[in-house]
Amino acid sequence: MKKIALFTFLTLLLCTSCVTKKKFMMTEAARIASIDSLQSLLTDCRNTGDQLSAQIKKLLRDTTQMGNSIRQYQSMLSTNMTEQEKLNALLSQKKNELSERERTINELQDMINAQNEKVKQLLNSVKDALLGFSTDELTVREKDVAMSDKLLFQSGSARLDKRGEEALGKLAEVLNKQTDIDVFIEGHTDNKPINTVQFKDNWDLSVIRATSVVRILIKNYGVNPLQIQPSGRGEYIPFDDNETAEGRSKNRRTEIIMAPKLDKLFQMLQTSEEVK
């Protein structure tokens, strides 16, 4: 009976040991499989982490570049706005200058128109004052009065005739009423040469005749010497053809040219230039 009991106990113990070892082996295999799975998962996580790190670095680089671009664009925008402001300021300045120029031009034009109207009125007054003289003695034109040598001088002379002095007296009456007009006395001759003790050539004759007219106007009739100016043109600005006697007669003349005083005009132009 003892032997039987001992055999039974050993048999049970052996069976129990076999079951426990089998469970252990199964458990160990499961643990190893779990560890392998965890290691594989860990490897995958590391790979994924590396990829994410690379992506993060790339994103950081892109972000830095984008930030630089944004700052550059902001700088460009700021610069462009500054340039636009400068252009707007310059445009505004030019517009103001243009307006000022237009105002000055209008003022100058008004002055010129007013002076031209004075000249026109003056010539009408001269025309009325010289009605007693024939057209072959003098002609009142748009801007001047042309007096022939028949009226003023004897042939080849710079000495005025009495009838010529009478015409100059009537002219002086009108000039003395309009003191803001410049008067230019121009002597003209034909192209026939002259060479005398008194006159070397036609130019000399034209200058002295113009001076003689000015002298009479100033000394005898009180015309302002600052208002009047003589000059000689000789034969170089003919009124008609010098090939005919009639043409040469028209060319031997003294022109009294009325012109607006341009002092204020020049003053305004000079001021405009200084402003520029």
Side-chain angles (χ1 to χ4, degrees):
M1 287 296 292
K2 290 181 178 180
K3 288 181 179 181
I4 294 171
L6 180 59
F7 177 76
T8 303
F9 173 75
L10 290 173
T11 302
L12 288 171
L13 181 61
L14 181 61
C15 289
T16 303
S17 176
C18 288
V19 171
T20 301
K21 185 176 181 180
K22 184 177 180 181
K23 285 183 177 181
F24 173 76
M25 293 298 293
M26 291 175 64
T27 301
E28 185 68 14
R31 186 179 68 81
I32 290 171
S34 177
I35 289 172
D36 290 341
S37 177
L38 288 173
Q39 286 179 339
S40 177
L41 182 61
L42 181 59
T43 299
D44 292 340
C45 288
R46 284 176 178 171
N47 292 335
T48 303
D50 291 340
Q51 292 176 358
L52 290 174
S53 295
Q55 290 181 357
I56 289 172
K57 288 180 179 179
K58 184 177 182 301
L59 288 172
L60 286 174
R61 286 195 303 271
D62 293 343
T63 302
T64 301
Q65 291 178 355
M66 189 175 292
N68 291 335
S69 296
I70 290 173
R71 283 188 290 273
Q72 184 179 0
Y73 291 149
Q74 286 175 338
S75 176
M76 290 173 63
L77 180 61
S78 176
T79 301
N80 287 338
M81 289 179 66
T82 302
E83 290 297 325
Q84 175 124 19
E85 289 172 359
K86 290 180 181 177
L87 288 173
N88 287 335
L90 184 60
L91 179 61
S92 177
Q93 178 185 349
K94 293 301 181 184
K95 283 183 177 179
N96 292 335
E97 289 179 2
L98 180 60
S99 298
E100 184 64 22
R101 288 293 182 85
E102 289 176 347
R103 184 186 67 79
T104 301
I105 289 171
N106 291 333
E107 288 182 5
L108 293 174
Q109 189 60 55
D110 290 341
M111 289 176 61
I112 292 172
N113 292 340
Q115 292 287 0
N116 287 336
E117 183 61 28
K118 287 181 181 179
V119 171
K120 184 178 179 181
Q121 292 175 2
L122 180 60
L123 286 169
N124 287 333
S125 299
V126 170
K127 190 174 183 179
D128 292 339
L130 299 174
L131 282 176
F133 297 90
S134 62
T135 55
D136 63 335
E137 290 179 320
L138 62 83
T139 305
V140 179
R141 296 181 295 203
E142 185 178 353
K143 292 186 178 180
D144 62 18
V145 178
M147 295 185 176
S148 71
D149 65 336
K150 294 179 183 178
L151 176 63
L152 297 177
F153 306 103
Q154 294 181 359
S155 178
S157 172
R159 188 173 182 176
L160 274 94
D161 290 338
K162 289 185 178 181
R163 187 164 172 76
E165 287 193 30
E166 181 187 348
L168 292 179
K170 294 182 179 296
L171 175 65
E173 289 179 9
V174 179
L175 295 179
N176 288 332
K177 295 177 183 177
Q178 191 63 269
T179 57
D180 58 349
I181 296 293
D182 285 327
V183 182
F184 300 92
I185 309 299
E186 289 188 354
H188 297 264
T189 69
D190 59 24
N191 66 345
K192 292 295 184 181
I194 184 172
N195 188 356
T196 66
V197 175
Q198 188 177 4
F199 309 114
K200 294 181 180 180
D201 51 29
N202 281 326
W203 200 302
D204 198 13
L205 174 62
S206 68
V207 171
I208 294 177
R209 279 184 169 181
T211 305
S212 297
V213 171
V214 169
R215 189 175 290 113
I216 293 295
L217 289 171
I218 293 173
K219 290 187 175 182
N220 294 8
Y221 301 109
V223 176
N224 184 358
L226 298 178
Q227 185 183 359
I228 194 165
Q229 177 179 329
S231 64
R233 298 292 189 172
E235 62 197 71
Y236 299 103
I237 308 179
F239 181 76
D240 207 333
D241 188 359
N242 275 308
E243 296 301 316
T244 65
E246 183 181 357
R248 289 192 296 272
S249 177
K250 291 181 180 179
N251 290 335
R252 295 191 299 269
R253 69 200 187 278
T254 299
E255 292 184 355
I256 294 89
I257 302 170
M258 324 266 177
K261 276 189 176 293
L262 301 179
D263 298 352
K264 292 182 180 179
L265 182 65
F266 290 144
Q267 198 172 30
M268 288 187 67
L269 287 173
Q270 186 175 4
T271 302
S272 176
E273 289 298 321
E274 288 175 356
V275 169
K276 284 199 298 182

